[in-house]
Amino acid sequence: MMAHPPNGMMIRKLESIFPLSDEERDALASLPMQVVTFRPDQDIVRIGDRPTQSCMVLQGFTCVYKLTAEGKRQIVAFHVPGDMPDLQSLHLKVLDNSVATVSPCTLGFIPHEALQGICNRHSRITAALWRETLVDASIFREWMTGIGRREAYNRMAHLLCEFLVRLTAVGLAEDGTFDLPITQTELADAIGASTVHVNRVLQELRADGLIRSKGTQVSILDWEGLKATGDFDPLYLHLRQDGNA
């Protein structure tokens, strides 16, 4: 069962980065949405597609990925509940990446026509969605810095910090603990390491007393230590602080 009504998850996510009025919340709540369930490891949209709707993650985790000519996958983003992983398709008509599930997912599909209509009627909602895409770009820049300049141990620490902050913002983490239904292979594809190395790095993080994991549940035991290890500064997530965007 979803913790929030479908459109309520969208509102909660946007409000984590942008202040909304009651009128704007009501407009978002009235958006038409088709709710669909997906299995893990299932493509939602593929590179070259021309979608007529954008999706929002209601439950589960998705990833944005690209493949090399040899079929090697690079995950360039993970998306959590409240995120819209293909929002750019509202204006970029041909997708240049693929989006897939990494866990069982429930997704809400909103027609582009409805999104364009609400943007035409509410300029501040346009600004909120624009800010959402800018935050995605900011996260991508941070990931590129990590892949290019941090060791795998530090990249993993940074990624876990990011998950905690992003999931806390939408009410899906509590007391440093959250569900992370992502395989070590998928983590490897995200941080640019082998699956064997990812397993070793996670063991080291546990041995150093920074995290504890059981099944898909991850607990951060030493937040300051994990932040220092990952060189993590949440500035790039551009979350609202003290009610300000």
Side-chain angles (χ1 to χ4, degrees), residues 74 156 183-196 198:
Q74 178 65 50
M156 183 61 71
T183 67
Q184 291 187 9
T185 298
E186 289 156 348
L187 291 172
D189 287 348
I191 70 167
S194 69
T195 304
V196 171
V198 163

Side-chain angles (χ1 to χ4, degrees), residues 179-210:
D179 191 51
L180 190 67
I182 297 176
T183 67
Q184 291 187 9
T185 298
E186 289 156 348
L187 291 172
D189 287 348
I191 70 167
S194 69
T195 304
V196 171
H197 196 35
V198 163
N199 182 272
R200 184 180 304 120
V201 161
L202 290 171
Q203 289 185 40
E204 290 174 0
L205 289 169
R206 287 191 290 265
D208 291 342
L210 298 175

Side-chain angles (χ1 to χ4, degrees), residues 153-155 157-158 205 210 224-232:
Y153 178 79
N154 310 98
R155 293 200 298 275
H158 191 282
L205 289 169
L210 298 175
E224 293 302 324
L226 193 68
K227 282 200 302 181
T229 299
D231 187 26
F232 180 78

Side-chain angles (χ1 to χ4, degrees), residues 36-49 51 53 55 61-67 73-75 85-86 95 97-105 107 109 186:
V36 182
T37 59
F38 284 78
R39 302 183 307 275
D41 303 316
Q42 187 175 356
D43 279 337
I44 302 164
V45 287
R46 298 183 179 91
I47 189 169
D49 283 354
Q53 55 191 355
C55 71
F61 287 66
T62 67
C63 70
V64 176
Y65 73 91
K66 300 195 75 162
L67 296 173
R73 182 176 67 169
Q74 178 65 50
I75 291 176
D86 63 346
L95 286 180
N97 55 247
S98 299
V99 182
T101 60
V102 296
S103 70
C105 281
L107 305 176
F109 289 87
E186 289 156 348

Side-chain angles (χ1 to χ4, degrees), residues 14-244:
L14 288 178
E15 285 200 307
S16 74
I17 62 171
F18 192 93
L20 296 171
S21 69
D22 289 342
E23 180 184 0
E24 289 157 352
R25 291 188 203 97
D26 290 343
L28 289 166
S30 69
L31 277 172
M33 182 181 294
Q34 180 186 13
V35 177
V36 182
T37 59
F38 284 78
R39 302 183 307 275
D41 303 316
Q42 187 175 356
D43 279 337
I44 302 164
V45 287
R46 298 183 179 91
I47 189 169
D49 283 354
R50 295 173 176 266
T52 59
Q53 55 191 355
S54 290
C55 71
M56 182 178 65
V57 184
L58 301 176
Q59 285 184 315
F61 287 66
T62 67
C63 70
V64 176
Y65 73 91
K66 300 195 75 162
L67 296 173
T68 67
E70 295 79 22
K72 296 179 180 179
R73 182 176 67 169
Q74 178 65 50
I75 291 176
V76 298
F78 285 117
H79 287 98
V80 305
D83 289 343
M84 298 183 71
D86 63 346
L87 183 58
Q88 74 272 19
S89 68
L90 184 60
H91 296 292
L92 300 177
K93 299 306 180 183
V94 181
L95 286 180
D96 56 41
N97 55 247
S98 299
V99 182
T101 60
V102 296
S103 70
C105 281
T106 303
L107 305 176
F109 289 87
I110 305 172
H112 284 167
E113 183 179 4
L115 285 170
Q116 289 163 347
I118 200 173
C119 288
N120 290 337
R121 294 189 301 273
H122 298 274
S123 61
R124 279 171 40 84
I125 290 178
T126 303
L129 295 176
W130 174 225
R131 185 176 174 88
E132 170 83 350
T133 60
L134 291 174
V135 172
D136 275 350
S138 178
I139 292 172
F140 179 75
R141 289 191 293 272
E142 188 69 25
W143 277 39
M144 286 297 295
T145 301
I147 288 174
R149 297 300 176 189
R150 296 185 183 110
E151 298 299 322
Y153 178 79
N154 310 98
R155 293 200 298 275
M156 183 61 71
H158 191 282
L159 182 59
L160 293 174
C161 287
E162 180 181 300
F163 274 127
L164 177 60
V165 173
R166 290 172 66 188
L167 290 169
T168 297
V170 291
L172 294 176
E174 185 174 358
D175 297 328
T177 297
F178 54 93
D179 191 51
L180 190 67
I182 297 176
T183 67
Q184 291 187 9
T185 298
E186 289 156 348
L187 291 172
D189 287 348
I191 70 167
S194 69
T195 304
V196 171
H197 196 35
V198 163
N199 182 272
R200 184 180 304 120
V201 161
L202 290 171
Q203 289 185 40
E204 290 174 0
L205 289 169
R206 287 191 290 265
D208 291 342
L210 298 175
I211 67 168
R212 178 175 61 237
S213 60
K214 183 178 182 181
T216 61
Q217 191 175 77
V218 175
S219 296
I220 308 302
L221 302 180
D222 181 355
W223 174 238
E224 293 302 324
L226 193 68
K227 282 200 302 181
T229 299
D231 187 26
F232 180 78
D233 180 346
L235 173 66
Y236 72 99
L237 297 172
H238 296 282
L239 294 170
R240 294 174 65 196
Q241 300 293 331
D242 301 322
N244 296 313

